[in-house]
Amino acid sequence: MGLSKTIWTNPTEFLKNQQPENPVLFFAPSVVQAMARRFIEGFPGLVTYAVKSNPGEEMVENLVAAGVQGFDCASPFEIDLIRRLAPDAAIHYNNPVRSRTEIAHAVARNVKSWSVDSHSELAKLVEMVPADGCEISVRFKLPVSGAAYNFGAKFGATEDVAVELLKTVAAAGFIPSITFHPGTQCTDPAAWASYIREAAVIARRAGVKIARLNVGGGFPNHRATGVVPQLEATFETIGRIAREAFGDDLPALVCEPGRALCGDAFTLAARVKSVRDGTHVFLNDGLYGSLFELGQIGIIDRIEVMDAAGKRRSGAVHPRITFGPTCDSIDRLPGEVPFPEDIAEGDFVVFHGMGAYSTVTNSRFNGFGELGLVTVLSLRL
Ligand SMILES: Cc1ncc(COP(=O)(O)O)c(C=O)c1O
């Protein structure tokens, strides 16, 4: 990714002056810092950042500046990144399946918190990780709705397995905890309520008092016009249900948001390469680029279109089939995108709320994928 250190007032100022040929992601540090403070002040426990959602150094540095002191890492690469940028931060290695080489790497980097969802992976941790002062969180799953897709399809133990795992963790001398992830872009606080109640059942059945309950990521970012995430309502639900469900055995709470912290701090500007014979729109970014996630969780509708001079297109909405730049026919944005009818070659299509799972899933397929990164004071066009 090309990095521009110049700070621009807003995306419009950059786009009309620079006329970029490649897609550009605009980053507003003020937005991520404000979101981090909102979590730190509102969430009733420790706020950690899921590095995978956007591991950009500018992202991590701004989170640290805003007071984030813990990071959820999925790999040795992410562990090393955090040890370099935030040497004193807590690292939670919450990818429940790891090779022995990866476990050894994390032990050598003084990682003290791990998650697990199976007997085979717990056996590896018991064998290789010194138990003293070390936490292992048992990750479980529930068939609840509310998220953009089902995270339980890959990770999470059933209730019965979680009970056995928790007993083994405690018996082996580790600090026993529980964790879950309700699924990404989860807009329903009731999902957390169900998970927290079930965590209390698991702890009770295992006869283990847990030290911490990690309520995962999954907090939504602003993707739909007029539907602003109600984070504080979710924080309130989490605190209240945890007190109700655990009573005197209330564990310390942890969360590990990715998208909610980084998502709204980035705006993407893609360019219209062609409006083919007045019908299909071809952009210079697509599903193999920073719009990868749209294919998984659906279109983001916070979209604005401006001409090359920076003037907002305001024609009536005319939905279009929209393709990315590669020769692959699956490189198509979901459904039909509600563009203004006067959209034209050379225009900029601006997608707001694009900071999560965008820079990091961008590929160089077909030789595309060169992204600009530009810092702006404000993301308002
Ligand atoms: C263990 C874990 N924690 C946190 C996250 C972050 O989720 P989100 O970006 O939905 O907040 C993920 C995402 O995959 C995850 O796997």
Side-chain angles (χ1 to χ4, degrees):
M1 179 184 293
L3 182 68
S4 165
K5 285 289 181 193
T6 312
I7 298 180
W8 297 77
T9 306
N10 57 30
T12 308
E13 185 198 29
F14 179 88
L15 293 170
K16 69 182 188 194
N17 282 295
Q18 299 294 309
Q19 298 294 319
E21 180 64 16
N22 293 320
V24 176
L25 275 157
F26 294 97
F27 172 52
S30 57
V31 174
V32 74
Q33 292 213 16
M35 190 56 93
R37 281 194 294 274
R38 198 170 154 195
F39 262 87
I40 290 168
E41 284 161 18
F43 181 77
L46 177 68
V47 177
T48 67
Y49 173 61
V51 178
K52 62 179 76 81
S53 56
N54 186 326
E57 297 197 2
E58 68 289 339
M59 177 58 63
V60 174
E61 282 165 353
N62 275 281
L63 289 169
V64 171
V68 172
Q69 293 171 344
F71 293 86
D72 158 41
C73 293
S75 64
F77 174 89
E78 291 185 358
I79 290 169
D80 291 349
L81 175 78
I82 297 304
R83 278 284 173 262
R84 180 163 57 81
L85 297 179
D88 300 328
I91 291 181
H92 299 170
Y93 193 177
N94 283 347
N95 181 344
V97 177
R98 316 162 186 85
S99 73
R100 285 169 198 276
T101 306
E102 289 168 338
I103 296 170
H105 187 99
V107 170
R109 303 304 181 280
N110 202 25
V111 171
K112 295 285 191 192
S113 181
W114 311 68
S115 73
V116 80
D117 69 351
S118 65
H119 293 289
S120 55
E121 297 308 300
L122 178 55
K124 283 194 216 167
L125 295 186
V126 170
E127 182 190 320
M128 297 185 63
V129 179
D132 192 29
C134 210
E135 170 185 58
I136 296 183
S137 300
V138 173
R139 178 162 169 180
F140 73 98
K141 64 178 169 190
L142 280 182
V144 299
S145 57
Y149 59 94
N150 176 16
F151 264 39
K154 184 164 183 184
F155 291 128
T158 59
E159 180 183 315
D160 286 347
V161 173
V163 168
E164 293 308 314
L165 292 173
L166 197 58
K167 286 182 191 166
T168 309
V169 166
F174 291 91
I175 298 167
S177 292
I178 294 182
T179 186
F180 61 82
H181 193 304
T184 202
Q185 190 65 18
C186 185
T187 48
D188 187 0
W192 277 275
S194 304
Y195 266 100
I196 292 167
R197 290 196 180 98
E198 176 67 5
V201 169
I202 291 168
R204 221 165 281 132
R205 276 191 58 198
V208 171
K209 184 169 162 41
I210 59 169
R212 299 204 289 185
L213 176 63
N214 183 332
V215 300
F219 302 88
N221 86 297
H222 188 190
R223 301 180 69 80
T225 307
V227 188
V228 182
Q230 302 299 310
L231 293 174
E232 283 71 17
T234 305
F235 299 155
E236 190 279 328
T237 300
I238 290 170
R240 178 169 46 82
I241 302 294
R243 285 191 300 278
E244 276 171 28
F246 283 91
D248 290 344
D249 290 338
L250 182 68
L253 297 175
V254 181
C255 66
E256 50 186 20
R259 119 180 7 267
L261 281 174
C262 66
D264 294 344
F266 279 76
T267 284
L268 168 72
R271 200 152 198 185
V272 178
K273 297 177 71 167
S274 169
V275 182
R276 189 170 60 181
D277 289 343
T279 57
H280 303 154
V281 172
F282 281 71
L283 300 178
N284 66 355
D285 201 0
L287 295 204
Y288 289 99
S290 62
L291 294 166
F292 165 81
E293 212 201 20
L294 269 47
Q296 320 295 308
I297 74 171
I299 193 74
I300 199 161
D301 81 343
R302 293 178 62 217
I303 297 175
E304 296 178 84
V305 179
M306 62 167 83
D307 68 16
K311 189 165 171 297
R312 201 85 52 91
R313 295 274 182 202
S314 55
V317 170
H318 175 74
R320 311 264 189 160
I321 291 175
T322 302
F323 293 108
T326 71
C327 296
D328 193 330
S329 50
I330 65 169
D331 188 8
R332 173 186 162 177
L333 273 53
E336 295 191 10
V337 185
F339 287 135
E341 63 187 351
D342 48 345
I343 190 170
E345 180 184 342
D347 283 2
F348 296 107
V349 176
V350 177
F351 299 81
H352 295 286
M354 286 299 301
Y357 310 104
S358 52
T359 60
V360 78
T361 47
N362 176 57
S363 83
R364 301 307 304 262
F365 185 45
N366 277 210
F368 297 107
E370 177 83 22
L371 289 176
L373 176 64
V374 174
T375 304
V376 285
L377 294 176
S378 165
L379 292 171
R380 284 212 188 88
L381 296 188

